[in-house]
Amino acid sequence: MFGGTQSSRLTFVFGLAFGLGISFLLTCFTSLTSFRKTIYHTSNTFRSFLDTQSLMQVTTNEKDMHDIMDRNIKPIKSVLFNDSHFHQDDNSLAKDLEKKIRVLCWVMTCPQNLDKKAIHVRKTWAKRCNILIFISSVTNTSFPTIGVNVSEGREHLTGKTMQAFRYVYQHYKDKADWFMKADDDTYVILENLRYFLNDYKTTDPIYFGHHFKTFVKQGYYSGGAGYVLSKEALTRLITKGNDPRICRKDGGSEDLELGKCMENLGVKTVNSTDALGRSRFHCFDPETHLFGIYGDWYYQYDANGAKKGTESISDYAISFHYVPPQKMYALEFYIYHLRPYGIESGHQHLNMHNGH
């Protein structure tokens, strides 16, 4: 009798434990399924958010911004523009400057970005460069890209940059006057760049870009916003910058290391704001600068006071950074095709501030 009761009790306890275990597993499975659905919804919402918002609204770290942007970019179809009629625009002045001020653009890219990003750079702003080169780690004759003998990765961007400028010097030194480095998420308005450069001599040891004031006595320029070297600056870089104590060959932050190198070579930073004190080179997209959605670090870095709003961006702006492919085409449309009827835009003289 006692043994039977004990057996019944053991059976009851075992059954209760088994039932509780099954209930726990079912609850976990239901919660996990719900959690996965939440993550999926959040991920889609975040991607949608990135499509419409400035990257600076979701992150403040430059590396994170690049990583987030690269992960969420999907191949898109090109937008074809008919530039043959130019809406009756008189572009003779811009064409004259194109002949007079020869700009070589080299664009930093990598094999996995050719079809996602670089191709859209080539089909939009970069077609207005006098000479256009894409620099990668692997030569691709069909795109085409020039492969330099440097591994991919952010830790090797300095080496990639130094090798790119060496290639440019060896092959194009006498075929251009100014030499611009840009990323494959940079958008550049070449007409405004040539207008700005018209007041400077390419024989002077100077370079231009979005000015950061930290770490280097004269400051340095944001790599993503693009920086422009005079022929003399390029010449000094290649002929006098071989000593690693003067110019670092690889490692560190590309734009900062180039800034140190330029200062060591006697190449000067120059104020690029316009006559009204407004910025021309920009290390973020237009919306970020327009609304002033900056991370804390930017207030410490920016040499011009991290201004915001329409009165802080020059009417003759030159560059913007963190521009995904879709926005490349949007900017192309807004700048070169959208027109308000009945308004003829006159030329402004915004270089007087520089005193050249």
Side-chain angles (χ1 to χ4, degrees):
M1 185 71 139
F2 180 79
T5 302
Q6 186 179 29
S7 176
S8 299
R9 287 175 178 173
L10 287 173
T11 300
F12 172 77
V13 171
F14 178 79
L16 179 62
F18 181 80
L20 290 172
I22 292 296
S23 299
F24 175 78
L25 290 175
L26 286 174
T27 302
C28 288
F29 179 78
T30 303
S31 299
L32 180 60
T33 302
S34 176
F35 178 72
R36 284 176 175 170
K37 287 182 179 179
T38 301
I39 290 294
Y40 180 78
H41 174 73
T42 303
S43 177
N44 284 344
T45 302
F46 183 60
R47 287 194 183 98
S48 176
F49 179 73
L50 281 177
D51 287 340
T52 57
Q53 301 296 319
S54 163
L55 282 171
M56 282 304 294
Q57 293 180 8
V58 294
T59 182
T60 59
N61 183 279
E62 186 175 3
K63 181 179 182 298
D64 290 344
M65 287 159 61
H66 271 294
D67 290 343
I68 290 172
M69 188 172 175
D70 288 346
R71 284 199 303 269
N72 287 279
I73 287 178
K74 297 179 180 178
I76 65 168
K77 291 183 178 180
S78 302
V79 178
L80 300 178
F81 292 101
N82 178 14
D83 288 331
S84 60
H85 51 81
F86 269 99
H87 304 281
Q88 305 300 315
D89 289 346
D90 179 3
N91 64 347
S92 57
L93 182 55
K95 288 298 182 183
D96 288 342
L97 285 176
E98 184 178 348
K99 296 175 184 177
K100 176 184 175 183
I101 301 174
R102 300 173 301 170
V103 178
L104 179 146
C105 309
W106 73 263
V107 179
M108 179 94 76
T109 189
C110 57
Q112 61 266 33
N113 277 359
L114 296 185
D115 293 332
K116 291 196 304 182
K117 297 167 73 174
I119 190 172
H120 305 298
V121 170
R122 191 178 68 187
K123 291 185 176 182
T124 55
W125 67 266
K127 61 188 176 184
R128 301 182 184 92
C129 302
N130 295 86
I131 300 172
L132 174 62
I133 302 170
F134 287 87
I135 297 292
S136 180
S137 58
V138 179
T139 297
N140 181 321
T141 55
S142 61
F143 185 80
T145 61
I146 302 299
V148 294
N149 188 26
V150 179
S151 300
E152 289 292 352
R154 298 196 185 283
E155 65 274 19
H156 298 298
L157 291 181
T158 299
K160 204 172 178 182
T161 297
M162 296 303 182
Q163 291 297 323
F165 275 122
R166 180 168 297 279
Y167 177 88
V168 166
Y169 178 82
Q170 292 172 344
H171 294 84
Y172 295 100
K173 175 176 68 76
D174 296 322
K175 297 179 181 178
D177 307 301
W178 300 90
F179 304 86
M180 180 173 196
K181 176 265 177 182
D183 287 348
D184 54 16
D185 59 353
T186 309
Y187 188 94
V188 182
I189 305 169
L190 266 297
E191 293 86 353
N192 293 346
L193 174 60
R194 291 191 182 99
Y195 166 69
F196 169 68
L197 293 175
N198 193 39
D199 276 9
Y200 294 93
K201 297 178 181 178
T202 190
T203 52
D204 289 339
I206 51 178
Y207 80 128
F208 310 98
H210 182 130
H211 199 186
F212 288 156
K213 63 184 178 181
T214 54
F215 303 116
V216 183
K217 184 177 180 180
Q218 67 173 3
Y220 68 100
Y221 294 129
S222 159
Y227 42 75
V228 186
L229 276 63
S230 69
K231 185 176 292 187
E232 175 61 21
L234 176 66
T235 301
R236 291 191 184 191
L237 173 62
I238 303 307
T239 61
K240 299 181 180 180
N242 293 319
D243 187 338
R245 293 171 298 180
I246 297 175
C247 295
R248 188 169 179 170
K249 298 307 175 186
D250 199 9
S253 298
E254 159 243 327
D255 46 10
L256 173 57
E257 295 304 328
L258 185 82
K260 294 176 181 177
C261 171
M262 291 287 101
E263 182 169 272
N264 291 338
L265 292 170
V267 177
K268 303 298 183 182
T269 56
V270 181
N271 179 20
S272 63
T273 57
D274 68 15
L276 301 177
R278 302 174 301 184
S279 58
R280 303 198 218 208
F281 294 87
H282 303 90
C283 65
F284 302 123
D285 61 3
E287 294 90 336
T288 298
H289 289 281
L290 184 63
F291 298 111
I293 312 167
Y294 304 131
D296 292 339
W297 69 268
Y298 183 66
Y299 292 94
Q300 301 173 14
Y301 277 59
D302 187 65
N304 295 318
K307 299 175 183 177
K308 63 181 179 180
T310 57
E311 293 305 310
S312 71
I313 303 172
S314 177
D315 289 0
Y316 292 156
I318 291 172
S319 70
F320 295 98
H321 185 212
Y322 296 119
V323 179
Q326 287 178 317
K327 192 175 288 187
M328 290 268 178
Y329 291 107
L331 288 174
E332 191 79 1
F333 176 72
Y334 297 147
I335 294 168
Y336 294 98
H337 292 268
L338 185 62
R339 297 288 185 274
Y341 180 79
I343 298 177
E344 299 293 333
S345 298
H347 301 307
Q348 301 178 66
H349 300 288
L350 297 179
N351 283 352
M352 294 182 293
H353 175 72
N354 299 312
H356 286 256

